[in-house]
Amino acid sequence: MFEETFVEELATRIGSRVEIATDNNFIEGILSTVTEELVLVIEVSNGYGSSTIMYIAVDAINFVRFPVAA
Amino acid sequence: MLKTKQRARYNKSMPTWVEKMYCKTSYDDRCDDKRHDGCHDKRHDRCHDKRHDRCDKCPQSEKGHGPCCKEPIQCNALDPTNCHPFNPNIPRTLREVLLSLINEQVQVTTPFGPITGTLLVVKCDYIVIVEASGAQVLVPIDKIELVSEL
């Protein structure tokens, strides 16, 4: 059901809405790309299509939450 | 870990019952069944069947060892305090604590803050918690500072 490693599991969830916490940041967005060292999240800031691309080091991630779709 | 001199001294004076408690064979060699029955039944098999096998599958093993391999290799250690705990009921790693709490209500604390919910699975380097809202939370074991059962 779940992959053996953290990165492998994240890779199976590309396209999901995520909340990612690091020591000092909390990022909400769409999980876009996962590599061994980096996670790319597209943070949608408003309803007009503008978005921010955030690169997060895998080693810095405290947790990744996958909220239940409303 | 014991130094070579200490290790030699230790081996010489080691009583038989202690000798039986841990496996002196190399990691890939199977124990002599007659001498190390206890070893085979419990820790040696656990080591081979789970941790060692899993490490081979772990993609990070290319860098040396995957996160699951960082735990001490219990079967090969000469120091019984690092090798086979005299009281197997006491968990020795955070991962062992987490494994004993599967399907329980837990709170794990990371530097960012606490996460509360039901511990669903413990994998090689992360755990999955299901919160009251139904949200799944993946937490790398490396980032867990504190675990408490609720």
Side-chain angles (χ1 to χ4, degrees):
Chain A
M1 187 177 175
F2 291 98
E3 299 296 325
E4 281 300 315
T5 66
F6 184 62
V7 171
E8 285 173 355
E9 180 59 30
L10 286 179
T12 66
R13 296 173 182 251
I14 286 171
S16 307
R17 180 149 198 91
V18 289
E19 298 170 0
I20 297 183
T22 63
D23 287 9
N24 301 300
N25 293 288
F26 190 75
I27 297 136
E28 294 180 70
I30 307 292
L31 185 63
S32 177
T33 308
V34 178
T35 70
E36 279 293 308
E37 293 188 11
L38 277 179
V39 169
L40 170 61
V41 172
I42 297 175
E43 189 177 27
V44 179
S45 54
N46 59 42
Y48 297 98
S50 70
S51 56
T52 315
I53 295 170
M54 313 282 281
Y55 292 93
I56 307 158
V58 169
D59 287 348
I61 294 174
N62 278 203
F63 62 80
V64 179
R65 179 181 287 122
F66 296 90
V68 177
Chain B
M1 290 292 289
L2 293 173
K3 290 178 182 172
T4 316
K5 273 187 181 177
Q6 289 173 309
R7 192 180 295 160
R9 199 185 315 142
Y10 177 77
N11 285 341
K12 213 179 239 182
S13 61
M14 185 166 56
T16 317
W17 67 273
V18 172
E19 198 175 347
K20 283 185 178 175
M21 285 192 70
Y22 64 93
C23 173
K24 291 191 297 181
T25 55
S26 67
Y27 198 62
D28 290 318
D29 291 338
R30 290 284 172 172
C31 297
D32 175 6
D33 284 337
K34 288 175 187 172
R35 271 188 64 198
H36 299 291
D37 281 346
C39 186
H40 259 290
D41 291 345
K42 293 177 185 175
R43 295 183 186 85
H44 194 68
D45 279 349
R46 185 181 67 178
C47 198
H48 268 282
D49 293 347
K50 292 184 182 174
R51 193 153 53 221
H52 192 66
D53 286 345
R54 189 182 300 158
C55 290
D56 292 336
K57 292 174 188 169
C58 183
Q60 294 185 39
S61 61
E62 289 168 13
K63 294 175 184 173
H65 290 293
C68 51
C69 310
K70 285 181 181 173
E71 294 170 54
I73 300 168
Q74 295 182 357
C75 297
N76 221 11
L78 288 171
D79 182 355
T81 56
N82 284 330
C83 183
H84 291 267
F86 286 95
N87 186 349
N89 296 323
I90 298 173
R92 296 180 66 78
T93 63
L94 188 60
R95 200 162 177 280
E96 284 182 18
V97 174
L98 291 164
L99 283 167
S100 70
L101 291 173
I102 287 175
N103 291 327
E104 301 284 348
Q105 279 287 113
V106 296
Q107 183 176 66
V108 301
T109 305
T110 65
F112 184 83
I115 302 141
T116 306
T118 306
L119 180 57
L120 195 62
V121 289
V122 177
K123 286 295 187 179
C124 187
D125 62 350
Y126 72 101
I127 62 168
V128 182
I129 289 177
V130 180
E131 291 181 322
S133 64
Q136 286 186 359
V137 187
L138 312 186
V139 189
I141 293 174
D142 283 354
K143 294 291 178 182
I144 298 174
E145 292 178 341
L146 182 133
V147 179
S148 62
E149 188 178 358
L150 300 177

